[in-house]
Every structure is written in structure tokens, then in C-alpha cells.
Amino acid sequence: MKISFSKKVMITGATSGIGNANAKIFAKNGFNLIITGRRKEKLDELKKKLTNKYSIHIISLCFDIRNQAEVKKAWKSLKPEWKQLDILINNAGLAKGFQPIHEGNSDDWEVMIDTNVKGLLYITRLVSQEMVKNKKGHIINLCSSAGHEVYPNGNVYCATKFAVDALTKSMRLDLYKFGIRVSQVSPGHVEETEFALVRFDGDENKAKMYQDFTPLKSKDVAEIIYFVGTRQKHINIQDILVMGTQQASNNYIDRSGRLIN
Ligand code: NDP
Ligand code: 8X3
């Protein structure tokens, strides 16, 4: 079936957390989706749930964003009308490890650099070429408060997010003359994600980082991304830095107890 009349958004890393919440909010608002991630069963589950609930089309693409050949193959598998995306949300990303630089694990460094920087570039290269042809499109990068302010033990993760910040700014300089918007959203701590569990290699105790304060929830960030992606054509929100009320900065968090709404 042809889908060129409705808007299309690609969300990388839709199998959990912020990307998953984003898929739900865009689906609810009638967008057709391309959802990506490595866990096929999670993609299938999400596709089934959202297509049962909303009358939209969803393509799921299962690939490792660190593997340029897999990214290219997945993109090539799309029909031409699906390649004319209105929005690309570069969300897939992760932190691995939390050690000072002299104790860091270089395998972790490579995973973060390959995912957060190189993976983002691989998919953006393909999507942006098509957006330039169509003279329309919007790229929204998931940066982080860690891309604005470093913190102890954050070293390489922070560096990858500083790189995302630089890429957002420089991509905008390359693409604005084609009518393409480039934005980023930079959250502080976000719960209802697998972020901490992944960072601490599945250690559930270490991942309990949010018990003594209330951070943002994945849905909060998804709502902000949806807002950024649905402004009138003449508006480009360049960056939103957002944290929970108890987080004043990366290094100052009021851990005196969770807020009751
Ligand atoms: P989650 O771990 O819940 O989600 C990460 C997503 O990225 C998953 O869908 C995962 O899918 C995907 N992903 C990771 N590695 C790869 C890979 N190699 N190939 C393809 N997909 C991959 O974390 P969040 O939702 O929190 O993270 C989303 C983004 O938000 C990240 O860029 C993160 O840096 C950023 N962020 C998170 C914050 C937080 O506190 N949670 C705060 C600020 C920014 P799968 O495992 O199926 O491949
Ligand atoms: C995720 C937030 O503070 O763990 O980017 O780096 S933080």
C-alpha cells in the first residue's frame, strides 16, 4: 500500500526507553513509523501493539547501528516512498561503564564511540541524502546533559555526547539551506529506560540510581521530542536542555527523597 500521504518518522533504538516512548507518541498522533533496534522480538511486539491500536503503517528494521554494511542493507530494503522521511530521530545510544579514565575499559569506549557517534553518522548519511533530494526533513538528535557538562567517571560517554552536540550544530550548517531542520534534545537523568542497567552491565543494584530523587521519565522526553518535531515549518528548536526538578546540573542532585506529584 502507498503511504506517501501520511508523515513518516524513523526512530532508531525504539526497543526500549526514550525511543520506545517516542514510537508510542508519534503512533498515537497518526505518524507512520520505521522503528529500529537489535532485538527483533521487541520490535515485533511494539509493531503489533501499535498497529492493533492505531491505523498507521510500521516497518521494523533489525540491525546493529555500529555495522555500516547492516545499516546500508536495511536502508536499501525500504521502498522509495518510505525513504522520504519527515523526521529522523537519532536516539539509539548507550553508556558503558563508569570508571575514572585510568581504570577505563577500552572495549566499552569503543562500543560507545561506535554506537553514539559512528552509528548516528551511518544512518544520518543515508537519510540526509534523501532529505536533501526532497528539500524537506527534520533530524532530531538525542544528545544529553552529558554533552553540555562533564562529570566524574563520565569521560568517554560525555565525549560521545559532546560529539553529538558538535554534529548537531555542524549538520545544521550543512543542511539548513535545503530547508532541513536539525535539532537536539539534551536530557539529564531519565528513568523508565534501560540506560543504567546497560551502563552497569546488567547489575541491578548499581542501576538503582533513581531511588532517592525523581528524574525525568522516558515519556517526558518523548513529549518534548514530539513537540520539537511538530512545530510549523518556519520554526527550528535548536536544543532543549531538560532535567528533573531535583537535578540542578550533572553534578548537583537533591537526593533527599523522591517528589510526590
Ligand atoms: P535504553 O537503553 O532504554 O535504549 C537505548 C536504545 O538504543 C535501545 O532501543 C537499543 O536497542 C538501542 N541501541 C543501543 N545500541 C544499539 C546498537 N548497537 N544498534 C542498534 N540499536 C542500539 O536507553 P535510553 O532510552 O535512555 O537511551 C536513548 C538515548 O537517550 C541514548 O542516546 C542515550 O544516550 C540518551 N540519553 C539517555 C538518558 C538517560 O538518563 N536515560 C539521558 C540523556 C540522554 P537494542 O538494545 O534493541 O539494540
Ligand atoms: C544520560 C544522563 O547523566 O547519566 O545521558 O550522563 S547521564
Side-chain angles (χ1 to χ4, degrees), residues 13-152:
T15 55
S16 66
I18 298 167
N20 190 270
N22 252 131
K24 289 175 182 157
I25 192 166
F26 276 95
K28 189 175 171 190
N29 286 286
F31 281 73
N32 296 305
L33 308 182
I34 301 175
I35 51 174
T36 85
R38 286 165 300 178
R39 286 170 292 174
K40 189 174 179 313
E41 68 290 353
K42 295 258 179 201
L43 290 171
D44 291 346
E45 192 187 312
L46 182 63
K47 179 175 174 178
K48 193 171 164 198
K49 186 171 166 183
L50 295 179
T51 43
N52 281 344
K53 205 161 170 192
Y54 307 111
S55 48
I56 57 165
H57 301 281
I58 300 183
I59 303 265
S60 72
L61 296 177
C62 186
F63 60 83
D64 187 329
I65 205 159
R66 294 171 293 175
N67 182 326
Q68 187 168 197
E70 277 189 34
V71 177
K72 280 186 175 167
K73 192 174 163 205
W75 180 252
K76 215 174 156 194
S77 74
L78 293 171
K79 289 192 174 148
E81 67 262 30
W82 274 101
K83 288 184 179 164
Q84 293 174 14
L85 290 173
D86 297 280
I87 306 174
L88 165 65
I89 302 176
N90 273 322
N91 167 81
L94 79 183
K96 274 264 170 209
F98 192 73
Q99 291 98 8
I101 199 73
H102 59 287
E103 292 173 11
N105 176 332
S106 63
D107 290 342
D108 287 348
W109 297 349
E110 280 173 27
V111 172
M112 289 187 277
I113 293 166
D114 288 352
T115 311
N116 301 356
V117 183
K118 291 165 72 180
L120 180 147
L121 285 170
Y122 296 153
I123 192 70
T124 302
R125 174 69 177 81
L126 298 165
V127 174
S128 62
Q129 184 174 6
E130 196 69 27
M131 285 179 169
V132 167
K133 255 195 249 160
N134 299 329
K135 296 215 162 40
K136 68 162 188 157
H138 193 166
I139 298 172
I140 305 175
N141 293 330
L142 249 295
C143 186
S144 168
S145 57
H148 294 266
E149 181 198 10
V150 294
Y151 53 85

Side-chain angles (χ1 to χ4, degrees), residues 191 210-217 243-247 254-261:
E191 66 181 351
Y210 315 119
Q211 286 187 321
D212 50 8
F213 77 107
T214 305
L216 300 168
K217 299 186 188 313
M243 298 185 197
T245 306
Q246 288 170 296
Q247 183 175 7
D254 169 11
R255 290 188 178 271
S256 63
R258 288 182 64 97
L259 291 179
I260 296 160
N261 270 316

Side-chain angles (χ1 to χ4, degrees), residues 163-176 182:
V164 171
D165 182 53
L167 284 171
T168 300
K169 288 170 178 156
S170 53
M171 278 158 54
R172 187 182 305 121
L173 295 180
D174 295 338
L175 297 175
Y176 82 98
V182 183

Side-chain angles (χ1 to χ4, degrees), residues 144-146 151 157 187-189 195 199 209 247 250:
S144 168
S145 57
Y151 53 85
Y157 178 68
H189 286 295
F195 182 84
R199 172 168 240 171
M209 297 166 49
Q247 183 175 7
N250 282 346

